[in-house]
Coordinates of all heavy atoms in Angstrom, one line a residue:
M1 N 98.7 88.0 105.1 CA 99.8 88.6 105.7 C 100.9 88.9 104.7 O 100.9 88.3 103.6 CB 100.3 87.7 106.8 CG 101.1 86.5 106.3 SD 101.8 85.4 107.6 CE 100.3 84.9 108.4
A2 N 101.8 89.8 105.0 CA 102.9 90.1 104.2 C 104.2 89.7 104.9 O 104.5 90.4 105.9 CB 102.9 91.5 103.8
L3 N 104.9 88.7 104.5 CA 106.1 88.3 105.2 C 107.3 89.0 104.6 O 107.4 89.2 103.3 CB 106.3 86.8 105.0 CG 105.4 85.9 105.7 CD1 105.6 84.4 105.3 CD2 105.5 86.0 107.2
F4 N 108.2 89.4 105.4 CA 109.5 90.0 105.0 C 110.4 88.7 104.7 O 110.7 87.9 105.5 CB 110.1 90.8 106.1 CG 111.3 91.7 105.8 CD1 111.8 92.5 106.7 CD2 111.8 91.7 104.5 CE1 112.8 93.4 106.4 CE2 112.8 92.5 104.2 CZ 113.4 93.4 105.1
Q5 N 110.8 88.6 103.4 CA 111.5 87.5 102.9 C 113.0 87.6 103.2 O 113.9 87.2 102.4 CB 111.3 87.3 101.4 CG 111.4 85.8 101.0 CD 111.1 85.7 99.5 OE1 110.8 86.6 98.8 NE2 111.1 84.4 99.0
R6 N 113.3 88.1 104.4 CA 114.7 88.2 104.9 C 114.9 87.4 106.2 O 114.1 87.6 107.1 CB 115.0 89.7 105.1 CG 116.5 89.9 105.5 CD 116.8 91.3 105.7 NE 116.3 91.7 107.0 CZ 116.4 92.9 107.5 NH1 117.0 93.9 106.8 NH2 115.9 93.2 108.7
C7 N 115.8 86.5 106.1 CA 116.0 85.6 107.3 C 116.3 86.4 108.5 O 117.2 87.4 108.5 CB 117.2 84.6 107.0 SG 117.4 83.4 108.3
V8 N 115.7 86.1 109.6 CA 115.9 86.8 110.9 C 117.2 86.4 111.6 O 117.5 86.9 112.7 CB 114.7 86.8 111.8 CG1 113.5 87.4 111.2 CG2 114.4 85.3 112.2
H9 N 117.9 85.5 111.0 CA 119.2 85.1 111.6 C 120.2 86.2 111.2 O 120.5 87.1 112.0 CB 119.6 83.7 111.2 CG 121.0 83.3 111.7 ND1 121.9 82.7 110.9 CD2 121.5 83.4 112.9 CE1 123.0 82.4 111.7 NE2 122.8 82.9 112.9
L10 N 120.7 86.1 110.0 CA 121.7 87.1 109.5 C 121.3 87.8 108.2 O 122.2 88.4 107.6 CB 123.1 86.4 109.4 CG 123.7 86.0 110.7 CD1 125.0 85.2 110.5 CD2 123.9 87.1 111.7
G11 N 120.1 87.7 107.8 CA 119.6 88.5 106.7 C 119.6 88.0 105.3 O 119.3 88.7 104.4
C12 N 119.9 86.7 105.1 CA 119.9 86.2 103.8 C 118.4 86.2 103.3 O 117.5 86.1 104.0 CB 120.4 84.7 103.7 SG 122.2 84.6 104.0
R13 N 118.3 86.2 101.9 CA 116.9 86.1 101.4 C 116.5 84.6 101.6 O 117.3 83.7 101.4 CB 116.9 86.4 99.9 CG 115.5 86.5 99.3 CD 115.6 87.0 97.8 NE 115.7 85.9 96.9 CZ 114.7 85.0 96.6 NH1 113.5 85.1 97.2 NH2 114.8 84.0 95.8
V14 N 115.2 84.4 101.9 CA 114.7 83.1 102.2 C 113.8 82.7 101.2 O 112.6 83.1 101.1 CB 114.0 83.1 103.6 CG1 113.7 81.7 104.0 CG2 114.9 83.7 104.7
P15 N 114.2 81.8 100.2 CA 113.3 81.4 99.1 C 112.2 80.4 99.6 O 112.4 79.7 100.6 CB 114.3 80.7 98.1 CG 115.6 80.8 98.7 CD 115.5 81.3 100.1
W16 N 111.1 80.5 98.8 CA 110.0 79.5 99.0 C 110.5 78.2 98.5 O 111.1 78.0 97.4 CB 108.8 80.0 98.2 CG 107.7 79.0 98.2 CD1 107.2 78.3 97.1 CD2 106.8 78.7 99.3 NE1 106.2 77.5 97.5 CE2 105.9 77.7 98.8 CE3 106.8 79.1 100.6 CZ2 104.9 77.2 99.6 CZ3 105.8 78.5 101.4 CH2 104.9 77.6 100.9
C17 N 110.1 77.1 99.2 CA 110.4 75.7 98.8 C 109.1 75.0 98.5 O 108.3 74.7 99.5 CB 111.2 75.0 99.9 SG 111.5 73.2 99.5
G18 N 108.7 74.8 97.3 CA 107.5 74.2 96.9 C 107.3 72.8 97.5 O 106.2 72.5 98.1
P19 N 108.3 71.9 97.4 CA 108.1 70.5 97.9 C 107.8 70.5 99.4 O 107.0 69.7 99.9 CB 109.4 69.8 97.6 CG 109.9 70.6 96.4 CD 109.5 72.0 96.6
S20 N 108.5 71.3 100.2 CA 108.2 71.2 101.7 C 107.1 72.2 102.1 O 106.7 72.1 103.2 CB 109.5 71.6 102.4 OG 109.8 72.9 102.3
Q21 N 106.8 73.1 101.2 CA 105.7 74.1 101.5 C 106.2 75.0 102.7 O 105.5 75.3 103.7 CB 104.4 73.5 101.9 CG 103.7 72.8 100.7 CD 103.2 73.9 99.7 OE1 102.3 74.6 99.9 NE2 103.9 74.0 98.5
G22 N 107.4 75.5 102.6 CA 107.9 76.4 103.6 C 109.0 77.3 103.0 O 109.4 77.3 101.8
F23 N 109.6 78.2 103.9 CA 110.7 79.1 103.5 C 111.9 78.5 104.1 O 111.9 78.2 105.3 CB 110.4 80.5 104.0 CG 109.3 81.2 103.3 CD1 108.0 81.1 103.9 CD2 109.4 81.8 102.1 CE1 106.9 81.7 103.3 CE2 108.3 82.4 101.5 CZ 107.0 82.4 102.1
E24 N 113.0 78.3 103.3 CA 114.2 77.7 103.8 C 115.4 78.5 103.4 O 115.7 78.8 102.3 CB 114.3 76.3 103.1 CG 113.1 75.4 103.5 CD 113.1 74.0 102.9 OE1 114.0 73.7 102.1 OE2 112.2 73.2 103.2
C25 N 116.2 78.8 104.5 CA 117.3 79.7 104.3 C 118.5 78.9 103.8 O 119.0 78.0 104.5 CB 117.6 80.5 105.5 SG 119.0 81.7 105.3
P26 N 119.1 79.3 102.7 CA 120.3 78.5 102.1 C 121.6 78.9 102.9 O 122.6 78.2 102.7 CB 120.3 79.0 100.7 CG 119.8 80.4 100.7 CD 118.7 80.4 101.7
C27 N 121.6 79.9 103.7 CA 122.8 80.3 104.3 C 123.2 79.4 105.5 O 124.3 78.9 105.6 CB 122.7 81.8 104.8 SG 122.6 82.9 103.3
H28 N 122.3 79.3 106.5 CA 122.6 78.5 107.7 C 121.5 77.5 108.0 O 121.5 77.0 109.1 CB 123.0 79.4 108.9 CG 123.9 80.5 108.5 ND1 123.5 81.8 108.3 CD2 125.2 80.5 108.3 CE1 124.5 82.6 108.0 NE2 125.6 81.8 108.0
G29 N 120.5 77.4 107.2 CA 119.6 76.3 107.3 C 118.3 76.6 108.2 O 117.6 75.7 108.5
S30 N 118.0 77.8 108.5 CA 116.8 78.1 109.2 C 115.6 77.8 108.3 O 115.6 78.0 107.1 CB 116.7 79.6 109.6 OG 117.6 79.8 110.7
K31 N 114.6 77.3 108.9 CA 113.4 76.9 108.2 C 112.1 77.4 108.8 O 112.0 77.5 110.1 CB 113.3 75.3 108.1 CG 114.4 74.7 107.3 CD 114.4 73.2 107.3 CE 115.6 72.6 106.5 NZ 115.5 71.2 106.4
Y32 N 111.2 77.8 108.0 CA 109.9 78.4 108.5 C 108.8 77.8 107.7 O 108.9 77.5 106.5 CB 109.9 79.9 108.2 CG 111.2 80.6 108.6 CD1 112.3 80.7 107.8 CD2 111.3 81.3 109.8 CE1 113.4 81.4 108.1 CE2 112.4 82.0 110.2 CZ 113.5 82.0 109.4 OH 114.6 82.7 109.7
N33 N 107.6 77.7 108.3 CA 106.5 77.1 107.5 C 105.9 78.2 106.6 O 106.4 79.3 106.5 CB 105.4 76.5 108.5 CG 104.7 77.5 109.3 OD1 104.8 78.7 109.1 ND2 104.1 77.0 110.4
S34 N 104.8 77.9 106.0 CA 104.3 78.8 104.9 C 103.8 80.1 105.4 O 103.6 81.0 104.7 CB 103.1 78.1 104.2 OG 102.1 77.7 105.1
I35 N 103.5 80.2 106.7 CA 103.2 81.5 107.3 C 104.3 82.1 108.1 O 104.1 83.0 108.9 CB 101.8 81.5 108.1 CG1 101.9 80.5 109.2 CG2 100.7 81.1 107.1 CD1 100.7 80.6 110.2
G36 N 105.5 81.6 107.9 CA 106.7 82.2 108.5 C 107.0 81.8 109.9 O 107.9 82.4 110.6
E37 N 106.3 80.8 110.4 CA 106.6 80.4 111.8 C 107.9 79.6 111.8 O 108.1 78.7 111.0 CB 105.4 79.5 112.3 CG 104.1 80.3 112.5 CD 102.9 79.5 112.8 OE1 102.9 78.3 112.4 OE2 102.0 79.9 113.4
Y38 N 108.7 79.8 112.8 CA 110.0 79.1 113.0 C 109.8 77.6 113.1 O 108.9 77.1 113.8 CB 110.7 79.6 114.3 CG 111.9 78.9 114.6 CD1 113.1 79.2 114.0 CD2 111.9 77.8 115.4 CE1 114.3 78.5 114.3 CE2 113.0 77.0 115.7 CZ 114.2 77.4 115.2 OH 115.3 76.7 115.4
N39 N 110.7 76.9 112.4 CA 110.7 75.4 112.5 C 112.0 74.9 112.9 O 112.1 74.0 113.8 CB 110.3 74.8 111.1 CG 110.4 73.3 111.1 OD1 111.5 72.8 110.7 ND2 109.4 72.6 111.6
A40 N 113.1 75.4 112.4 CA 114.4 74.9 112.6 C 115.5 75.9 112.3 O 115.3 76.8 111.6 CB 114.6 73.6 111.8
G41 N 116.7 75.6 112.9 CA 117.9 76.4 112.6 C 118.1 77.5 113.6 O 117.5 77.6 114.6
P42 N 119.1 78.3 113.3 CA 119.6 79.3 114.2 C 118.7 80.6 114.3 O 119.0 81.5 115.2 CB 121.0 79.7 113.7 CG 120.9 79.5 112.3 CD 120.0 78.3 112.1
A43 N 117.7 80.7 113.5 CA 116.9 81.9 113.6 C 116.3 82.1 115.0 O 115.8 81.2 115.6 CB 115.7 81.8 112.5
P44 N 116.3 83.3 115.5 CA 115.9 83.6 116.8 C 114.4 83.8 117.0 O 113.8 83.9 118.1 CB 116.6 84.9 117.3 CG 116.8 85.6 116.0 CD 117.0 84.5 114.9
R45 N 113.7 83.9 115.9 CA 112.2 84.2 115.9 C 111.6 83.8 114.6 O 112.3 83.4 113.7 CB 111.9 85.7 116.2 CG 112.5 86.7 115.2 CD 112.2 88.1 115.6 NE 112.7 89.0 114.5 CZ 113.9 89.5 114.4 NH1 114.8 89.2 115.2 NH2 114.2 90.3 113.4
N46 N 110.3 84.0 114.5 CA 109.6 83.7 113.2 C 110.0 84.8 112.2 O 110.6 85.8 112.5 CB 108.1 83.9 113.4 CG 107.5 82.9 114.4 OD1 108.0 81.8 114.6 ND2 106.5 83.4 115.2
L47 N 109.7 84.5 110.9 CA 110.0 85.5 109.9 C 109.2 86.8 110.3 O 108.1 86.7 110.8 CB 109.5 85.1 108.5 CG 110.4 84.1 107.7 CD1 109.7 83.8 106.4 CD2 111.8 84.7 107.5
D48 N 109.8 87.9 110.0 CA 109.1 89.2 110.3 C 108.0 89.4 109.3 O 108.0 88.9 108.2 CB 110.1 90.4 110.3 CG 111.1 90.3 111.4 OD1 110.9 89.6 112.4 OD2 112.2 90.9 111.2
R49 N 107.0 90.2 109.8 CA 105.8 90.6 108.9 C 105.7 92.1 108.8 O 106.2 92.8 109.7 CB 104.6 90.0 109.6 CG 104.6 88.6 109.8 CD 103.3 88.1 110.6 NE 103.4 86.7 110.8 CZ 102.5 86.0 111.5 NH1 101.4 86.6 111.9 NH2 102.6 84.7 111.6
F50 N 105.0 92.5 107.8 CA 104.7 93.9 107.6 C 103.3 94.2 108.0 O 102.4 93.3 107.8 CB 104.9 94.4 106.2 CG 106.3 94.2 105.7 CD1 106.6 93.4 104.6 CD2 107.4 94.9 106.2 CE1 107.9 93.3 104.1 CE2 108.7 94.8 105.8 CZ 109.0 94.0 104.7
V51 N 103.0 95.4 108.5 CA 101.6 95.8 108.7 C 100.9 95.9 107.4 O 101.5 96.4 106.4 CB 101.6 97.1 109.4 CG1 100.2 97.7 109.5 CG2 102.2 97.0 110.9
V52 N 99.7 95.3 107.3 CA 98.9 95.3 106.1 C 97.6 96.0 106.4 O 97.0 95.8 107.5 CB 98.6 93.9 105.6 CG1 97.7 93.9 104.4 CG2 99.9 93.2 105.3
E53 N 97.1 96.8 105.5 CA 95.8 97.5 105.7 C 95.2 97.8 104.4 O 95.8 97.8 103.3 CB 96.0 98.8 106.6 CG 96.9 99.8 105.9 CD 97.3 100.9 106.9 OE1 97.5 100.6 108.1 OE2 97.5 102.0 106.4
L54 N 93.9 98.1 104.4 CA 93.1 98.6 103.2 C 93.0 100.1 103.3 O 92.6 100.6 104.4 CB 91.7 97.9 103.2 CG 91.7 96.4 102.8 CD1 90.3 96.0 102.9 CD2 92.3 96.2 101.5
N55 N 93.2 100.8 102.2 CA 93.0 102.2 102.2 C 91.5 102.5 101.9 O 90.8 101.5 101.6 CB 94.0 102.9 101.3 CG 93.7 102.7 99.8 OD1 92.7 102.1 99.5 ND2 94.6 103.1 99.0
P56 N 91.0 103.7 101.9 CA 89.6 104.0 101.7 C 89.1 103.5 100.3 O 87.9 103.3 100.1 CB 89.5 105.5 101.8 CG 90.6 105.9 102.7 CD 91.7 104.9 102.4
A57 N 90.0 103.3 99.3 CA 89.7 102.8 98.0 C 89.7 101.3 97.9 O 89.7 100.7 96.9 CB 90.6 103.4 96.9
N58 N 89.8 100.7 99.1 CA 89.9 99.2 99.2 C 91.2 98.6 98.5 O 91.2 97.5 98.0 CB 88.7 98.5 98.7 CG 87.7 98.3 99.8 OD1 88.0 98.5 101.0 ND2 86.5 97.9 99.4
E59 N 92.2 99.4 98.5 CA 93.5 98.9 97.9 C 94.3 98.4 99.1 O 94.3 99.0 100.2 CB 94.3 100.1 97.2 CG 93.5 100.6 96.0 CD 94.1 101.9 95.4 OE1 94.6 102.7 96.2 OE2 94.1 102.0 94.2
L60 N 95.0 97.3 98.9 CA 95.8 96.7 99.9 C 97.1 97.5 100.0 O 97.9 97.7 99.0 CB 96.1 95.2 99.5 CG 96.9 94.4 100.6 CD1 96.0 94.3 101.8 CD2 97.3 93.1 100.0
I61 N 97.4 97.9 101.2 CA 98.6 98.7 101.5 C 99.5 97.9 102.4 O 99.1 97.4 103.4 CB 98.3 100.0 102.2 CG1 97.3 100.8 101.4 CG2 99.6 100.8 102.5 CD1 97.8 101.3 100.0
I62 N 100.8 97.6 102.0 CA 101.7 96.9 102.8 C 102.7 97.9 103.3 O 103.5 98.6 102.5 CB 102.4 95.8 102.0 CG1 101.4 94.8 101.5 CG2 103.5 95.1 102.8 CD1 101.9 93.7 100.6
R63 N 102.8 98.1 104.6 CA 103.6 99.1 105.2 C 105.0 98.5 105.5 O 105.3 98.0 106.6 CB 103.0 99.6 106.6 CG 101.6 100.2 106.4 CD 101.7 101.7 106.3 NE 100.4 102.3 106.1 CZ 100.2 103.2 105.2 NH1 101.1 103.7 104.5 NH2 98.9 103.7 105.1
T64 N 105.9 98.6 104.5 CA 107.2 98.0 104.6 C 108.1 98.7 105.7 O 109.1 98.2 106.1 CB 107.9 98.0 103.3 OG1 108.0 99.3 102.8 CG2 107.2 97.1 102.3
G65 N 107.6 99.9 106.2 CA 108.3 100.5 107.2 C 107.9 100.1 108.6 O 108.4 100.6 109.6
S66 N 106.8 99.3 108.7 CA 106.3 98.9 110.0 C 106.4 97.4 110.1 O 105.6 96.6 109.6 CB 104.8 99.3 110.1 OG 104.6 100.6 110.0
I67 N 107.5 96.9 110.7 CA 107.8 95.5 110.9 C 107.3 95.0 112.2 O 107.4 95.6 113.2 CB 109.3 95.3 110.7 CG1 109.8 95.7 109.3 CG2 109.7 93.9 111.1 CD1 111.3 95.7 109.1
I68 N 106.6 93.8 112.1 CA 106.1 93.1 113.2 C 107.0 91.9 113.5 O 107.3 91.1 112.6 CB 104.7 92.6 113.0 CG1 103.8 93.7 112.6 CG2 104.2 91.8 114.2 CD1 102.4 93.3 112.1
Q69 N 107.6 91.9 114.7 CA 108.4 90.7 115.1 C 107.7 89.9 116.1 O 107.0 90.4 117.0 CB 109.7 91.2 115.8 CG 110.6 92.0 114.8 CD 111.9 92.5 115.5 OE1 112.1 92.3 116.7 NE2 112.8 93.0 114.7
T70 N 107.8 88.5 115.9 CA 107.1 87.6 116.8 C 108.1 86.6 117.3 O 109.0 86.2 116.5 CB 105.9 86.9 116.2 OG1 106.3 86.3 115.0 CG2 104.8 88.0 115.8
P71 N 108.0 86.1 118.5 CA 108.9 85.0 119.0 C 108.8 83.7 118.3 O 107.8 83.5 117.6 CB 108.6 84.9 120.5 CG 107.2 85.4 120.6 CD 107.0 86.4 119.5
R72 N 109.8 82.9 118.4 CA 109.7 81.5 117.8 C 108.4 80.9 118.2 O 107.9 80.9 119.3 CB 110.8 80.6 118.4 CG 112.2 80.8 117.7 CD 113.1 79.8 118.3 NE 114.4 79.9 117.7 CZ 115.4 79.1 118.0 NH1 115.3 78.2 119.0 NH2 116.6 79.2 117.3
C73 N 107.8 80.3 117.2 CA 106.5 79.6 117.3 C 106.7 78.3 118.1 O 107.6 77.5 117.8 CB 106.0 79.3 115.9 SG 104.5 78.3 116.0
L74 N 105.9 78.1 119.1 CA 106.0 76.8 119.9 C 104.9 75.8 119.4 O 105.1 74.6 119.5 CB 105.8 77.1 121.4 CG 106.9 78.1 122.0 CD1 106.6 78.3 123.4 CD2 108.3 77.5 121.8
E75 N 103.8 76.3 118.9 CA 102.8 75.4 118.4 C 102.4 75.9 117.0 O 101.5 76.8 116.9 CB 101.5 75.5 119.3 CG 101.8 74.9 120.7 CD 100.6 74.9 121.6 OE1 99.5 74.7 121.1 OE2 100.8 75.1 122.8
P76 N 103.0 75.4 116.0 CA 102.8 75.9 114.6 C 101.3 75.7 114.2 O 100.6 74.8 114.5 CB 103.7 75.0 113.7 CG 104.6 74.3 114.7 CD 104.0 74.3 116.0
S77 N 100.9 76.7 113.4 CA 99.5 76.7 112.9 C 99.4 76.0 111.6 O 98.3 75.6 111.2 CB 99.0 78.2 112.7 OG 99.2 78.9 113.8
V78 N 100.5 75.8 110.9 CA 100.5 75.1 109.6 C 101.6 74.0 109.6 O 102.7 74.2 110.1 CB 100.8 76.1 108.5 CG1 100.9 75.4 107.1 CG2 99.8 77.3 108.5
E79 N 101.2 72.9 109.1 CA 102.1 71.7 109.1 C 103.3 72.0 108.2 O 103.2 72.6 107.1 CB 101.4 70.5 108.6 CG 102.2 69.2 108.6 CD 101.5 68.0 108.0 OE1 100.3 68.1 107.8 OE2 102.2 67.1 107.7
Y80 N 104.5 71.6 108.7 CA 105.7 71.8 107.9 C 106.7 70.8 108.5 O 106.8 70.6 109.7 CB 106.3 73.2 108.1 CG 107.7 73.3 107.4 CD1 107.8 73.6 106.1 CD2 108.8 73.1 108.2 CE1 109.1 73.6 105.5 CE2 110.1 73.1 107.6 CZ 110.2 73.4 106.3 OH 111.5 73.5 105.7
P81 N 107.5 70.1 107.6 CA 107.5 70.1 106.2 C 106.4 69.2 105.7 O 106.0 68.3 106.3 CB 108.9 69.6 105.8 CG 109.2 68.7 106.9 CD 108.6 69.3 108.2
Q82 N 105.9 69.5 104.5 CA 104.9 68.7 103.8 C 105.5 67.8 102.7 O 104.8 67.2 101.9 CB 103.8 69.6 103.3 CG 103.1 70.3 104.4 CD 101.9 71.1 104.0 OE1 101.3 70.9 102.9 NE2 101.6 72.2 104.7
G83 N 106.9 67.9 102.6 CA 107.6 67.1 101.6 C 109.1 67.4 101.8 O 109.5 67.9 102.8
P84 N 109.9 66.9 100.8 CA 111.3 67.1 100.9 C 111.8 68.6 101.0 O 111.2 69.4 100.3 CB 111.9 66.4 99.7 CG 110.8 65.8 99.0 CD 109.5 66.3 99.5
S85 N 112.8 68.8 101.7 CA 113.4 70.1 101.8 C 114.2 70.5 100.6 O 114.7 69.6 99.9 CB 114.4 70.1 103.0 OG 115.2 71.3 103.0
C86 N 114.3 71.7 100.3 CA 115.1 72.2 99.2 C 116.5 72.4 99.5 O 117.4 72.7 98.6 CB 114.5 73.5 98.6 SG 112.9 73.3 97.9
I87 N 116.9 72.4 100.8 CA 118.3 72.7 101.2 C 118.9 71.5 102.0 O 119.9 71.7 102.6 CB 118.4 74.0 102.1 CG1 117.5 73.9 103.3 CG2 118.0 75.2 101.3 CD1 117.8 75.0 104.3
G88 N 118.2 70.4 101.9 CA 118.7 69.2 102.6 C 118.2 69.0 104.0 O 117.5 69.8 104.5
A89 N 118.6 67.9 104.6 CA 118.2 67.5 105.9 C 116.8 67.9 106.4 O 116.6 68.9 106.9 CB 119.2 68.0 106.9
G90 N 115.9 67.0 106.1 CA 114.6 67.1 106.7 C 113.6 67.7 105.7 O 112.6 68.1 106.0
Ligands
FES101 S1 120.9 83.9 107.5 FE1 119.3 82.4 107.4 S2 120.0 80.9 108.8 FE2 121.5 82.3 108.8

C-alpha cells in the first residue's frame, strides 16, 4: 500500500517512529500503526492511502490524485505500539 504521510487531523507530516513501529504526529499526538490504522489522538480516521496499480510493463504506479479514506480502525491488523513512542506518552 501507499500511505499519504499527512496527518488526517490538520495536515502535519507524520514521521515514522522506529521504536514503536508506527506513524506519530508531532503536532497534536495522533498515532497510527505501521499500515496507517488509527490508534490514538484527534485524527478522525486512518491515514489516507493512494490507489496503487501495475501498468502493462509491470511498473508500480501510485496514483497520488486518487486518495482512499477509511474510518478509524476498530480492530487493528497490526500490533502497535511495539516499543516506546517517539513523541511521548505511550
Ligand atoms: S495534525 Fe496530526 S494530530 Fe493534529
Side-chain angles (χ1 to χ4, degrees):
M1 73 176 64
L3 292 175
F4 194 174
Q5 205 176 6
R6 185 179 76 180
C7 187
V8 297
H9 179 225
L10 293 177
C12 291
R13 192 176 88 72
V14 189
W16 173 251
C17 174
S20 71
Q21 292 290 290
F23 295 92
E24 300 181 353
C25 184
C27 293
H28 315 102
S30 287
K31 297 177 179 179
Y32 313 84
N33 69 15
S34 60
I35 59 172
E37 293 170 332
Y38 172 85
N39 172 266
R45 61 183 185 272
N46 300 326
L47 282 180
D48 292 341
R49 302 173 183 181
F50 297 119
V51 171
V52 176
E53 59 193 34
L54 289 176
N55 70 10
N58 267 350
E59 296 168 326
L60 186 66
I61 305 297
I62 298 172
R63 301 264 179 225
T64 56
S66 298
I67 294 174
I68 301 168
Q69 296 183 351
T70 56
R72 277 184 177 181
C73 175
L74 299 177
E75 295 183 32
S77 304
V78 177
E79 183 183 346
Y80 172 87
Q82 297 182 27
S85 169
C86 294
I87 59 171

